[in-house]
Amino acid sequence: MLTTVAASAANAQMGPPGPPAVGVMEAAKRPITESNEFLGRIEATNRVNIVARVTAFLEKRDFADGAEVKKGELLYELERGPFEADLKSKQAQVAQLQATLVNAKLTTDRAKTLLSGPAGQQSTYDAALANQQSLEAQIQAAQAQVELSQINLDYTQIRSPIDGKIGRTAVTEGNVVTPSSGTLASIVSQDPMYVTFPVSVREGRQLRDHYAIRGGFKAVVIRVRLSDGRLYDQVGQLNFVNNTIAQNTDTITLRGTIPNPILKELSANGTIRQLTDNEFVTVLLEGVEPVEVVAIPRSSVLSDQQGEYVYVLGAGNKAEQRRIKLGQSTSTVAAVTSGLSAGETVIVEGLQKVRPGQAVAPGPASALIQSSMKANPEGPGQKQDGIGAKPAGSTP
């Protein structure tokens, strides 16, 4: 009984609890790099399937599977003997016809000379001239056969038509290859590479309307996040929008190019590059010029069924609930597109104790919160003096 009375007396002396202590920060405008995220694919700009143009035995393969080859580099050597013999035969036919033509021209000249005398006959001259012209035509046909034989002989050396990386050979030495044998090997170019990614029609229109007045393709750059989460260190340029919409997905395909240089530190025993044809990547389409938005700590943003909101410090240090709309934000910084103005004081800490209309005891935000607003960590969608961005509506 005495203990209960003593506790009641102590509580009476302490009085009612004071307003909760909260950390506050002023909302300020900051530059943000706009970024939209898509799932994309790396594709080679050039792709060639190597096939045989003549029928012959494969005598030698002059490349290693998976190596990079140069344009004009010898890849396969086919049996040349039959084609060389055929070429010599066609050349001999041309020589034979040319010798016959020499004699025919002499006959024509004599017949023409005789036309001026009594022994000359027009019919004899006409026949000689026709024979000469026939031989000239035969020589042209024979020379065409020589060129065809030379072409077939050249086809016995199969060379690379492009610079690129060659895949695994489908045929080994000793086998007969023909034009119907199919692909002997495939070559894909390496630098630069295409980055292709589908965009929904709705979002595509939004991007077009947003960037068209800012310079179109030149107003954006392409960054790539690799499958292991690392950001690729090269920047690409958007250069193509498809002319039709995919009916099954209601998307339109965008494409850009991005450098794919050799990784010198890893290429001591072979040429290694970062990007590979048909590789899946995350594509970040970023605006070149930052835009200014009202920025607040991400931790100050609360949400319910109606959307996002924050508490701002009102008259008499009372907490006021304010509905806001977020733009592209990061895990530490929220970009507010509407509902909040620069210069307003936002409650960023102690939110679990705050209720609408409740008086609070404001104080400066912690050093951790303040430093998170000043930091500009490098990463996807981030620039110096700007705020890295994720797609609007994405989970921070």
Side-chain angles (χ1 to χ4, degrees), residues 97-113 124-125 127-137 139:
L97 290 169
Q98 287 175 338
T100 305
L101 177 61
V102 171
N103 184 60
K105 285 182 177 180
L106 292 174
T107 301
T108 303
D109 291 340
R110 284 193 296 268
K112 185 177 181 180
T113 302
T124 302
Y125 171 73
L129 182 59
N131 183 54
Q132 176 186 329
Q133 292 174 342
S134 175
L135 286 170
E136 290 173 346
I139 289 174

Side-chain angles (χ1 to χ4, degrees), residues 26 55 64 107 110 142 144 148 153 187 202 238 248 254 258 264 267 292 302 309 312 359 396:
E26 187 177 284
T55 300
T107 301
R110 284 193 296 268
L148 180 59
L153 178 60
I187 303 176
R202 178 180 178 181
L238 186 68
N248 56 338
L254 278 64
I258 192 166
K264 295 182 179 179
S267 300
E292 282 198 341
L302 304 175
Y309 64 93
V312 297

Side-chain angles (χ1 to χ4, degrees), residues 135-372:
L135 286 170
E136 290 173 346
Q138 292 179 51
I139 289 174
Q140 290 180 354
Q143 288 174 337
Q145 291 299 313
V146 170
E147 293 176 1
L148 180 59
S149 295
Q150 183 64 59
I151 291 172
N152 289 333
L153 178 60
D154 293 340
Y155 283 157
T156 61
Q157 292 185 329
I158 302 176
R159 300 180 180 274
S160 175
I162 62 171
D163 292 347
K165 187 173 185 178
I166 194 166
R168 183 179 62 181
T169 183
V171 182
T172 55
E173 291 88 337
N175 289 286
V176 176
V177 295
T178 71
S180 60
S181 296
T183 301
L184 304 182
S186 296
I187 303 176
V188 293
S189 60
Q190 295 295 291
D191 187 18
M193 300 291 272
Y194 282 144
V195 182
T196 61
F197 52 100
V199 176
S200 68
V201 174
R202 178 180 178 181
E203 192 165 7
R205 287 199 176 100
Q206 292 174 348
L207 291 172
R208 179 197 62 191
D209 295 343
H210 184 68
Y211 289 113
I213 59 176
R214 292 171 168 81
F217 289 161
K218 295 182 180 180
V220 294
V221 295
I222 293 175
R223 296 184 185 272
V224 169
R225 186 184 299 121
L226 305 176
S227 57
D228 59 3
R230 291 183 296 118
L231 185 68
Y232 185 47
D233 59 0
Q234 300 289 332
V235 177
Q237 181 64 53
L238 186 68
N239 59 12
F240 171 76
V241 177
N242 202 5
N243 62 352
T244 186
I245 295 171
Q247 294 183 359
N248 56 338
T249 59
D250 197 35
T251 59
I252 190 167
T253 299
L254 278 64
R255 188 190 72 194
T257 57
I258 192 166
N260 188 28
I262 296 174
L263 300 177
K264 295 182 179 179
E265 66 277 9
L266 300 177
S267 300
N269 298 320
T271 303
I272 299 176
R273 301 176 189 267
Q274 190 72 265
L275 303 179
T276 305
D277 182 48
N278 278 332
E279 175 183 1
F280 275 113
V281 294
T282 300
V283 181
L284 304 172
L285 192 65
E286 294 185 355
V288 173
E289 295 295 333
V291 296
E292 282 198 341
V293 297
V294 176
I296 57 176
R298 189 65 181 83
S299 58
S300 65
V301 180
L302 304 175
S303 62
D304 56 20
Q305 293 181 348
Q306 299 179 20
E308 286 81 15
Y309 64 93
V310 294
Y311 284 112
V312 297
L313 198 63
N317 288 339
K318 291 185 178 181
E320 297 179 0
Q321 188 184 60
R322 184 76 57 80
R323 293 286 173 181
I324 61 173
K325 289 185 178 181
L326 296 181
Q328 299 173 351
S329 306
T330 70
S331 59
T332 58
V333 180
V336 182
T337 59
S338 66
L340 191 66
S341 301
E344 293 190 273
T345 302
V346 180
I347 299 175
V348 299
E349 291 178 304
L351 292 167
Q352 66 275 11
K353 304 175 185 178
V354 178
R355 298 293 180 270
Q358 179 183 12
V360 295
S366 66
L368 179 63
I369 294 292
Q370 294 185 30
S371 63
S372 69

Side-chain angles (χ1 to χ4, degrees), residues 17-37:
V22 295
V24 298
M25 178 175 285
E26 187 177 284
K29 285 192 173 183
R30 295 187 59 187
I32 181 172
T33 300
E34 298 173 297
S35 177
N36 296 81
E37 188 171 304

